[in-house]
Amino acid sequence: MRCWGIILAFWLVVAGAAAQAEQVSLIEIDGAIGPATASYIARAIDEAAASGAQCLIIQLDTPGGLLDSTKKIIQSFLGSPIPIVVYVAPAGAWAGSAGCFITMAADVAAMAPATSIGAAHPVSIGGGGGGEDKKDDVMKQKMENFATSYIEAVAARHGRNAEWAKSAVRESASVTAEKALELNVIDLLADDREALLQQIDGREVRGKKLATAGVTPTPIAMTPRERVFQMVWRPEVMFVLMLVVVYGIIGELSNPGAILPGVIGAIALVLLLYMASVIPMNIAGIALIVLAIGLFVIDIFAPTHGILTGGGIIAFFLGSLMLFDRSQPFLRVSLSVLVIGTLVTAAFFVVVAGAGVRAQFWPVRSGREAMIGRPVQVLARVDAEHGKVFVDGEYWNAISAAPIEPGQDAEIVGLEGLRLRVKPKSGGGTS
């Protein structure tokens, strides 16, 4: 009996080890590559290694992303204790720009039919115009040279086509999955995940033979924090945050003491500044938006019959259009969002901000100050010590430095406690 117990325990240990050896981890990247993506991939590599997975499969579909985040991802690949398999899928997916770097940096690079890879020209941070053009050109050239040498080194490390990799950066070359396999840009062409696992089964990677046939990959999901940051850093969100900053600050200035608009605007400003440090922006676009806001505000006071508001609408739309580099797919904000944002902003300044700012300059309409300058009806002789007047349906005690007889025109010049100080009205006479 004891012998059978030992055999059973040994079998359980062997079965558990075999089950662990057959584990494969999986994550899906669908969208632009940014700081949240880099954090997610690094965490997934650690979790996959800790669970004893044979490899980590990254199913990729991206139009591109930031070069800094791409570098962090590739560094995670290089320091990974387990093999990394990048699979560009499903059909119709694209490993564009940053995705090209990531695919070529993987231990195993695979693509599904009807997918493409390439167009890896780097994105420049910021942007300007005028006297900054020459400086910008030099910076772009430096970035291009760095990206070219970087992808060449990545491709050469895995024995892939370094010449094509350089053309993907310098000439924005792009090829289909079938052509990529022919050019030795990738290693495999797989119809689906099951076919991918069958093809890499028995493949030796980093001195280890993979046993993946028939294995069901274990997904590693994004954490709520990673999901939030992945959503927030998108250019559409940044555009909306910019509008919230404008509405919040102007709302607080036009309605002092409201507090809530100012608080919301301040929070949005902090998020906007954080995102501005990672998302490429065009200085000329920002200048046009600031100009538009200035035109909106000036038109509130100037009798231009809406001419400045019209100019502000045009400047705001053009600035929004120029704010991000539309040549990069992952930085494009749809025209419908820009048009709606422009119209809402114009309406905000014309209706809400305009009314609030004008209200700050209206004369006082209630309270003690509102009585100054009001005409009164003198009922009893008013002198420096006493008198009686009638105003707004009420009887008031009144005093005056110059005597005023009943029926004589007078006006209020001040209040002293519950008495009115009045004076004869200029040009007034006795009726």
Side-chain angles (χ1 to χ4, degrees), residues 196-214:
L196 173 66
L197 292 170
Q198 288 286 349
Q199 291 192 53
I200 65 175
D201 183 60
R203 190 183 187 95
E204 189 171 322
V205 182
R206 299 189 183 186
K208 176 183 178 181
K209 185 172 289 188
L210 301 178
T212 56

Side-chain angles (χ1 to χ4, degrees), residues 94-110:
W94 179 27
S97 190
C100 182
F101 282 81
I102 293 170
T103 304
M104 300 195 75
D107 295 303
V108 178

Side-chain angles (χ1 to χ4, degrees), residues 71-118:
K71 285 172 55 183
K72 291 179 181 177
I73 292 171
I74 293 175
Q75 288 169 353
S76 297
F77 285 7
L78 296 176
S80 172
I82 61 173
I84 305 295
V85 179
V86 171
Y87 178 43
V88 182
W94 179 27
S97 190
C100 182
F101 282 81
I102 293 170
T103 304
M104 300 195 75
D107 295 303
V108 178
M111 296 177 69
T115 57
S116 59
I117 184 173

Side-chain angles (χ1 to χ4, degrees), residues 13 25 31 50 67 92 97 103 150 156 190 205 219 235 240 270 276 299 314 337 342 369 378:
V13 170
S25 296
L67 187 57
S97 190
T103 304
Y150 193 61
V205 182
V240 172
V270 172
D299 205 25
I314 295 173
V337 172
T342 301
E369 293 81 1
V378 179

Side-chain angles (χ1 to χ4, degrees), residues 111-419:
M111 296 177 69
T115 57
S116 59
I117 184 173
H121 197 278
V123 178
S124 58
I125 302 298
E132 296 293 320
D133 286 347
K134 183 177 291 187
K135 182 179 178 181
D136 290 342
D137 289 342
V138 173
M139 183 58 67
K140 289 176 182 178
Q141 186 62 47
K142 287 183 178 180
M143 289 187 64
E144 183 179 304
N145 292 338
F146 167 76
T148 301
S149 60
Y150 193 61
I151 200 169
E152 181 183 13
V154 167
R157 179 183 177 85
H158 296 285
R160 301 192 178 110
N161 191 333
E163 288 303 317
W164 180 89
K166 290 192 292 184
S167 69
V169 172
R170 293 195 182 279
E171 304 165 17
S172 294
S174 182
V175 293
T176 63
E178 293 77 10
K179 190 66 175 178
L181 182 62
E182 179 185 331
L183 293 173
N184 188 32
V185 175
I186 61 172
D187 306 312
L188 303 171
L189 195 62
D191 292 335
D192 50 35
R193 288 181 197 164
E194 184 178 350
L196 173 66
L197 292 170
Q198 288 286 349
Q199 291 192 53
I200 65 175
D201 183 60
R203 190 183 187 95
E204 189 171 322
V205 182
R206 299 189 183 186
K208 176 183 178 181
K209 185 172 289 188
L210 301 178
T212 56
V215 177
T216 300
T218 302
I220 299 176
M222 269 190 166
T223 63
R225 176 180 175 276
E226 289 165 347
R227 290 183 184 277
V228 169
F229 276 98
Q230 179 71 1
M231 178 189 68
V232 165
W233 87 276
R234 296 172 63 87
E236 296 91 344
V237 177
M238 189 171 183
F239 180 70
V240 172
L241 282 175
M242 182 186 66
L243 298 183
V244 173
V245 171
V246 173
Y247 302 160
I249 293 177
I250 299 299
E252 183 67 30
L253 292 177
S254 60
N255 297 278
I259 299 177
L260 183 60
V263 171
I264 294 176
I267 294 173
L269 179 60
V270 172
L271 290 174
L272 186 64
L273 292 175
Y274 164 73
M275 294 174 66
S277 66
V278 294
I279 292 186
M281 295 180 65
N282 189 294
I283 297 175
I286 296 175
L288 279 172
I289 291 173
V290 172
L291 172 63
I293 294 173
L295 292 176
F296 288 142
V297 173
I298 293 173
D299 205 25
I300 293 174
F301 304 99
T304 62
H305 307 290
I307 294 176
L308 292 182
T309 295
I313 291 174
I314 295 173
F316 191 92
F317 178 75
L318 292 178
S320 301
L321 201 63
M322 297 170 59
L323 194 59
F324 304 106
D325 184 2
R326 295 184 62 82
S327 65
Q328 298 296 330
F330 76 98
L331 290 176
R332 290 175 187 166
V333 180
S334 67
L335 287 176
S336 59
V337 172
L338 297 181
V339 170
I340 292 173
T342 301
L343 295 179
V344 169
T345 301
F348 172 80
F349 276 97
V350 172
V351 179
V352 180
V357 172
R358 291 189 189 99
Q360 306 304 314
F361 298 91
W362 284 343
V364 179
R365 296 186 178 183
S366 61
R368 297 166 60 90
E369 293 81 1
M371 299 186 69
I372 306 300
R374 300 282 296 278
V376 297
Q377 180 182 353
V378 179
L379 300 180
R381 187 177 188 272
V382 181
D383 54 29
E385 295 183 358
H386 53 74
K388 186 75 70 176
V389 298
F390 184 77
V391 58
D392 286 343
E394 296 179 330
Y395 295 97
W396 286 77
N397 291 323
I399 57 175
S400 173
I404 308 175
E405 300 298 329
Q408 189 176 353
D409 293 335
E411 63 179 339
I412 301 172
V413 294
L415 288 89
E416 294 183 1
L418 297 178
R419 294 191 304 180

